[in-house]
């Protein structure tokens, strides 16, 4: 199975201001990652070659920030007369030094990043990969010295040990550590806060100890975001090896991190001590990715293989992670999001079900149900503390929908009955009598809730940007969908009285919804029925869920009118705008400091994930005609998956986009539901590859 590739040749790389905006990301299945820009300059505090999830999938910590290289060419075999070429690149506030990116002749992401440097008669190929389920990175090198004199190569690891949201000022808050050289090829650095050990080794050459600090590195993207943008890193020394004239050498540097020194050393050993062993590890990773693609086409033989689809399937895999106990969850977005409940449940079908990863889907459902409390599934589990946070009204309802989708693909009713059913019934009971955050079923059968509990939950310094308190439109759609799913399950589990109760409740909700939510003036649904009796007539895309969900309260004519309004007001090739451009609150750019960004976050900003429910709704009201399916493929899916993957985030899809041309990608460079929902809609709705066991 051929793996997809993105390549930048020398002429493209010459446009520095373009390529400095392009980032690559690779992951390891634990929540750890490696990421930086195409020129190799870290422009974010989140960049690094080993950002290790020390408590998988959380506690992500910058360990190996960079590995910069020098080539020392000797003149007339005189070791005292060297010319140094620096391949590394770092940005400071007023300059880039060194500027080794100028020596890059080619960059390839295939699917691991590889750099080809050219310095006179010397070529260096540097490839970076993360072994799966290990907190480690391996960097392989191939050096061809076609010159008449020998050369030395020095490699400078730049280390830190900081939580990835923070930066280091070594004079204000010292980075306390101790260092030891375990052999002439290896060193260990033990940090006190956080407690962790970072170990590095080289397969050929020597390690020369010599502590040095690189201070005040400047992160340009953080400066634009109004975040801390200066950082201090340290070099414990450097690795050095020699390459004779007219010779070629292959070697590797590996780095591992753990809260325990013994584990860090064992991880280095597991990757391999020789270049051949590490190269074998690399081949294993490539084969695993090829097998992932092959498995997809095996279960979907009718799907035509394509470069962009392969890229999206590999991108989807990056979000599925596990903890020390092997329990699965979904990283909502890289770099800074944690395993969020809402995002996991919305993404489950696109990440795990259409790809046949049913065991992982089951594990995800079971893992979140462990935190069930007062009728709610948590919004997320805090990275540092492991404490579940329940501040969501829709997360639990999306969970019920995810169970329904899982059953459509697996018919695994035994699991649902034995492990989930009692708590699922508890969802309805608790929502009826009232639970946390003012979530309670009203007398009219509609679900009330407090502010900032929907997916539009931005807040700045306590100020709620889109509070949406009262009865948000998508919450009612999800509640009705939940009741119908529960009715189906009660029938399946032979509880007819309960099934009848759910049926009556759903009918009550349906009547009230149709009576109260239609905005005749604008020909669409109100966004929120607010608790003060005022109906929020903001034209937002949230109404699309009333059409797209499996169980809808609307007739065909009303559904068609809603789809038409959403199409007119919100649809773009990058996703759906979150507010009508005619609204006074509309903001066309999500940039600047945190207040500026969060003010625009749900007030105009484009979200790719909403293409999924929109495509489902659009094709549903158009009877899945071949013309409608072709139109959504040509105008929405193809541009998103064949053009946007070459923008800022290579081979994946950003969290959000500006409304204002050129529609700059923003937010997380890779977002789970940005890939999962359009991918699901492509398979299930456009290609019409429905689950073989689908029952509704």
């Amino acid at each position: 199975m051929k793996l997809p590739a993105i390549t930048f040749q020398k002429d493209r790389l010459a446009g520095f201001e373009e390529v400095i905006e392009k980032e690559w990301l690779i992951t390891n299945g634990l929540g750890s990652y490696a990421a930086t820009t195409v020129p190799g300059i870290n422009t974010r505090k989140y960049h690094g070659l080993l950002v290790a999830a020390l408590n998988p999938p959380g506690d992500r910590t910058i360990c190996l920030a960079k590995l910069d290289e020098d080539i020392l060419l000797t003149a007339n075999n005189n070791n005292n007369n060297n010319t140094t070429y620096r391949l590394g690149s770092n940005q400071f506030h007023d300059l880039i030094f060194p500027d080794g990116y100028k020596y890059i002749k080619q960059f390839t992401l295939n699917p691991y990043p590889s750099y080809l440097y050219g310095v006179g008669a010397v070529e260096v190929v540097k490839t970076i990969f993360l072994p799966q389920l290990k907190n480690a990175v391996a960097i392989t090198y191939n050096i061809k010295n076609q010159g008449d004199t020998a050369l030395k190569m020095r490699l400078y690891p730049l280390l830190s040990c900081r939580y990835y949201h923070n930066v280091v000022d070594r004079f204000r808050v010292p980075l306390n550590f101790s260092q030891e050289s375990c052999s002439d090829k290896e060193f260990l650095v033990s940090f006190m806060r956080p407690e962790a050990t970072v170990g590095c080794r080289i397969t050929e050459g020597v390690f020369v100890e010599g502590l040095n600090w690189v201070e005040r590195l400047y992160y340009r993207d953080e400066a634009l975001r109004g975040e801390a943008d200066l950082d201090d890193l340290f070099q414990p020394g450097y690795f050095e090896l020699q390459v004779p004239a007219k010779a070629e050498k292959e070697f590797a540097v590996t780095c591992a991190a753990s809260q325990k020194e013994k584990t860090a050393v064992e991880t280095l050993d597991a990757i391999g001590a020789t270049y051949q062993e590490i190269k074998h590890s690399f081949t294993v990773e490539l084969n695993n990715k090829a097998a992932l693609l092959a498995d997809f086409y095996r279960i979907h033989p009718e799907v035509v293989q394509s470069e962009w689809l392969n890229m999206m399937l590999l991108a989807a895999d990056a979000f599925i992670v596990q903890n020390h106990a092997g329990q699965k969850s979904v990283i909502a977005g890289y770099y800074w999001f944690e395993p969020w409940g809402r995002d996991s449940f919305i993404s489950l079908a696109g990440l795990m079900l259409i790809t046949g990863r049913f065991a992982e889907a089951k594990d995800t459902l079971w893992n979140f149900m462990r935190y069930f409390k007062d009728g709610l599934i948590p919004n997320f589990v805090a990275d540092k503390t492991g404490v579940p946070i329940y501040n969501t009204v829709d997360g639990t309802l999306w969970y019920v929908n995810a169970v329904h989708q899982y059953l459509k693909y697996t018919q695994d009713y035994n699991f649902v009955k034995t492990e989930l059913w009692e708590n699922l019934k508890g969802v309805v009971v608790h929502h009826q009598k009232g639970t946390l955050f003012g979530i309670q079923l009203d007398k009219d059968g509609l679900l009330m809730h407090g502010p900032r509990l929907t997916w539009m939950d931005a807040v700045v310094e306590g100020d709620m940007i889109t509070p949406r308190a009262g009865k948000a439109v998508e919450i009612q759609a999800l509640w009705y969908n939940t009741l119908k799913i529960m009715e189906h399950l009660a029938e399946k589990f032979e509880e007819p009285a309960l099934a009848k109760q759910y049926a009556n409740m759903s009918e009550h909700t349906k009547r009230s919804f149709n009576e109260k939510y239609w905005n005749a003036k604008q020909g669409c649904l109100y966004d929120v029925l607010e608790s003060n009796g005022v109906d929020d007539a903001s034209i937002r895309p949230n109404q699309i869920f009333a059409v797209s969900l499996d169980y809808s309260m609307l007739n065909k004519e009303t559904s068609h009118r809603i789809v038409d309004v959403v199409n007119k007001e919100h649809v773009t090739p990058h996703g759906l705008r979150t507010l009508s451009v005619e609204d006074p609150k509309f903001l066309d750019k999500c940039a600047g400091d945190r207040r500026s960004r969060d003010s625009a976050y749900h007030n105009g900003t484009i979200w790719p994930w909403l293409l999924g429910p929109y495509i489902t709704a659009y094709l549903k009201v158009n009877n899945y005609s071949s013309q409608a399916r072709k139109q959504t493929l040509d105008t929405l899916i193809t541009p998103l998956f064949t053009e946007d993957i070459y923008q800022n985030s290579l081979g994946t899809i950003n969290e959000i986009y500006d409304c204002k041309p050129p529609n700059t990608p923003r937010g997380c460079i890779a977002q789970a539901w940005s890939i999962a929902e359009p991918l699901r809609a492509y398979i299930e709705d456009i290609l019409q590859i429905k689950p073989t066991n689908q029952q509704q």
Side-chain angles (χ1 to χ4, degrees):
M1 178 69 64
K2 185 179 179 181
L3 295 170
I6 295 174
T7 300
F8 290 78
Q9 301 293 353
K10 182 69 175 178
D11 57 343
R12 183 90 180 272
L13 293 166
F16 178 77
E17 291 302 326
E18 176 192 357
V19 295
I20 192 65
E21 298 294 333
K22 300 193 181 300
E23 302 171 61
W24 56 260
L25 166 78
I26 55 176
T27 63
N28 74 345
L30 292 175
S32 309
Y33 66 85
T36 187
T37 62
V38 167
I41 297 173
N42 290 353
T43 60
R44 300 180 187 266
K45 60 187 176 185
Y46 302 98
H47 283 159
L49 294 186
L50 178 57
V51 184
L54 295 179
N55 184 22
D59 206 8
R60 279 168 275 183
T61 303
I62 306 291
C63 295
L64 177 63
K66 302 198 76 212
L67 185 61
D68 289 342
E69 305 84 9
D70 285 356
I71 292 176
L72 288 73
L73 294 178
T74 60
N76 300 320
N77 293 316
N78 182 352
N79 288 331
N80 295 319
N81 188 9
N82 293 324
T83 302
T84 301
Y85 296 90
R86 293 180 167 172
L87 305 186
S89 300
N90 293 300
Q91 183 163 11
F92 299 90
H93 214 295
D94 54 353
L95 82 162
I96 294 176
F97 178 82
D99 56 1
Y101 68 89
K102 295 178 180 178
Y103 296 115
I104 303 174
K105 296 172 63 176
Q106 180 177 291
F107 169 82
T108 303
L109 190 64
N110 184 35
Y112 294 108
S114 185
Y115 291 85
L116 170 61
Y117 296 89
V119 178
V122 179
E123 282 194 344
V124 178
V125 177
K126 172 184 180 179
T127 302
I128 303 151
F129 76 96
L130 299 182
Q132 289 297 289
L133 304 181
K134 294 179 177 65
N135 267 328
V137 63
I139 304 100
T140 65
Y141 291 87
N142 176 282
I143 305 178
K144 294 179 181 178
N145 181 10
Q146 300 174 13
D148 296 326
T149 59
L151 66 83
K152 289 181 182 179
M153 189 168 188
R154 289 180 180 171
L155 303 98
Y156 297 88
L158 274 70
L159 301 187
S160 189
C161 190
R162 60 170 173 84
Y163 190 49
Y164 68 156
H165 288 305
N166 302 332
V167 292
V168 170
D169 182 333
R170 74 184 187 97
F171 296 107
R172 294 181 59 191
V173 183
L175 197 62
N176 296 317
F177 60 89
S178 61
Q179 180 177 324
E180 63 175 306
S181 297
C182 305
S183 70
D184 64 349
K185 291 180 167 57
E186 178 180 337
F187 67 84
L188 292 175
V189 180
S190 297
F191 296 88
M192 287 66 176
R193 291 191 307 272
E195 185 175 348
T197 295
V198 178
C200 293
R201 68 167 56 144
I202 193 169
T203 59
E204 182 175 348
V206 296
F207 174 67
V208 180
E209 188 169 359
L211 180 63
N212 181 48
W213 283 90
V214 179
E215 300 170 359
R216 317 309 277 168
L217 285 161
Y218 175 65
Y219 301 135
R220 59 162 63 188
D221 283 349
E222 301 306 328
L224 292 172
R225 288 169 11 97
E227 300 285 329
D229 55 22
L230 297 175
D231 196 19
D232 296 342
L233 302 172
F234 79 94
Q235 296 170 342
Y238 60 86
F239 295 108
E240 181 177 275
L241 76 159
Q242 298 192 25
V243 182
K246 305 295 184 183
E248 179 177 349
K249 279 201 174 182
E250 294 178 315
F251 67 96
V253 174
T254 54
C255 182
S258 175
Q259 294 172 325
K260 298 179 180 179
E261 178 179 317
K262 180 182 178 182
T263 304
V265 174
E266 290 173 346
T267 302
L268 286 175
D269 292 339
I271 304 168
T274 67
Y275 176 79
Q276 289 72 26
E277 290 172 334
I278 293 166
K279 192 69 174 178
H280 174 72
S281 295
F282 180 62
T283 301
V284 168
E285 298 304 330
L286 291 177
N287 289 341
N288 287 342
K289 291 190 179 298
L292 184 149
L293 297 179
D295 286 345
F296 176 83
Y297 292 111
R298 177 180 52 79
I299 63 175
H300 295 306
E302 65 273 56
V303 178
V304 177
Q305 295 187 34
S306 66
E307 179 97 346
W308 64 262
L309 180 55
N310 289 345
M311 207 170 292
M312 288 301 94
L313 292 170
L314 294 180
D317 179 60
F319 300 99
I320 302 173
V321 297
Q322 70 178 41
N323 61 18
H324 281 305
Q327 297 161 337
K328 300 293 183 180
S329 57
V330 173
I331 291 285
Y334 294 98
Y335 306 108
W336 47 78
F337 282 139
E338 301 155 338
W340 287 66
R342 175 192 294 121
D343 300 62
S344 298
F345 313 142
I346 291 172
S347 301
L348 191 108
L351 298 185
M352 299 176 181
L353 298 182
I354 66 168
T355 54
R357 301 172 73 163
F358 304 140
E360 289 157 305
K362 178 178 180 178
D363 196 32
T364 301
L365 293 171
W366 180 86
N367 192 32
F368 268 97
M369 185 56 86
R370 293 185 304 128
Y371 298 103
F372 180 81
K373 176 185 176 183
D374 296 333
L376 299 177
I377 302 291
N379 199 21
F380 73 101
V381 179
D383 192 354
K384 285 271 193 180
T385 64
V387 174
I389 308 298
Y390 295 88
N391 59 338
T392 173
V393 61
D394 58 334
T396 303
L397 308 182
W398 280 117
Y399 179 92
V400 177
N401 185 68
V403 171
H404 179 57
Q405 304 309 315
Y406 172 76
L407 287 172
K408 284 159 60 176
Y409 276 86
T410 67
Q411 296 288 289
D412 189 4
Y413 284 95
N414 183 62
F415 162 67
V416 174
K417 184 174 184 179
T418 58
E419 301 292 337
L420 309 181
W421 180 230
E422 290 305 313
N423 282 348
L424 289 176
K425 290 190 287 187
V427 168
V428 179
V429 171
H430 279 280
H431 281 65
Q432 283 179 293
K433 67 181 184 181
T435 184
L436 303 173
F437 307 108
I439 301 170
Q440 184 172 6
L441 193 65
D442 202 356
K443 292 182 294 184
D444 58 5
L446 301 174
L447 203 58
M448 301 183 294
H449 55 85
R452 202 189 160 221
L453 297 177
T454 72
W455 80 278
M456 292 185 167
D457 57 359
V459 63
V460 181
E461 299 173 352
D463 294 338
M464 290 175 283
I465 307 301
T466 46
R468 303 185 74 230
K471 300 173 181 177
V473 63
E474 79 276 16
I475 303 307
Q476 314 314 316
L478 283 162
W479 175 244
Y480 177 80
N481 189 63
T482 294
L483 291 173
K484 297 303 289 184
I485 292 168
M486 293 297 291
E487 178 188 349
H488 166 69
L489 291 176
E491 291 173 348
K492 190 74 178 180
F493 300 147
E494 298 180 347
E495 298 188 39
L498 196 58
K500 181 64 174 176
Q501 176 189 335
Y502 294 143
N504 291 338
M505 290 176 67
S506 66
E507 282 303 307
H508 187 198
T509 299
K510 182 177 181 179
R511 282 195 304 273
S512 294
F513 186 86
N514 280 281
E515 289 171 2
K516 297 184 177 184
Y517 273 86
W518 184 249
N519 180 347
K521 181 178 179 180
Q522 294 176 313
C524 62
L525 300 177
Y526 287 109
D527 189 57
V528 183
L529 303 186
E530 297 184 355
S531 54
N532 60 8
V534 177
D535 299 332
D536 183 356
S538 302
I539 300 180
R540 296 186 180 275
N542 301 305
Q543 58 189 306
I544 201 67
F545 297 106
V547 183
S548 65
L549 289 166
D550 282 353
Y551 295 99
S552 173
M553 297 178 279
L554 304 174
N555 60 38
K556 192 69 171 284
E557 180 185 353
T558 302
S559 297
H560 218 305
R561 294 181 69 180
I562 290 169
V563 169
D564 287 345
V565 168
V566 171
N567 180 46
K568 175 186 174 184
E569 298 285 350
H570 304 292
V571 176
T572 80
H574 308 286
L576 270 59
R577 289 185 290 264
T578 42
L579 188 63
S580 168
V581 296
E582 303 298 328
D583 195 294
K585 300 185 295 293
F586 177 82
L587 296 170
D588 61 11
K589 189 175 183 180
C590 189
D593 62 16
R594 187 166 298 183
R595 176 171 289 278
S596 298
R597 298 196 311 271
D598 283 347
S599 295
Y601 203 40
H602 301 112
N603 282 327
T605 298
I606 295 169
W607 290 71
W609 82 272
L610 294 172
L611 282 178
Y614 170 75
I615 290 171
T616 299
Y618 177 82
L619 294 181
K620 183 187 288 189
V621 300
N622 285 283
N623 300 315
Y624 300 97
S625 70
S626 58
Q627 180 182 357
R629 288 188 287 123
K630 184 178 186 304
Q631 180 180 345
T632 53
L633 175 62
D634 292 345
T635 62
L636 300 178
I637 290 295
T638 299
L640 183 73
F641 285 160
T642 65
E643 298 174 15
D644 288 15
I645 57 175
Y646 298 103
Q647 292 197 35
N648 287 32
S649 50
L650 299 179
T652 187
I653 304 295
N654 276 71
E655 176 191 8
I656 54 177
Y657 289 74
D658 283 345
C659 291
K660 184 178 181 179
N663 305 115
T664 302
R666 305 282 187 183
C668 280
I669 73 156
Q671 194 79 358
W673 58 14
S674 292
I675 291 171
E677 265 300 280
L679 186 58
R680 176 205 58 78
Y682 171 66
I683 297 297
E684 290 187 347
D685 298 315
I686 293 176
L687 298 186
Q688 282 290 283
I689 302 173
K690 301 288 188 179
T692 54
N693 295 317
Q694 180 170 343
Q695 289 186 4
Q696 184 172 311

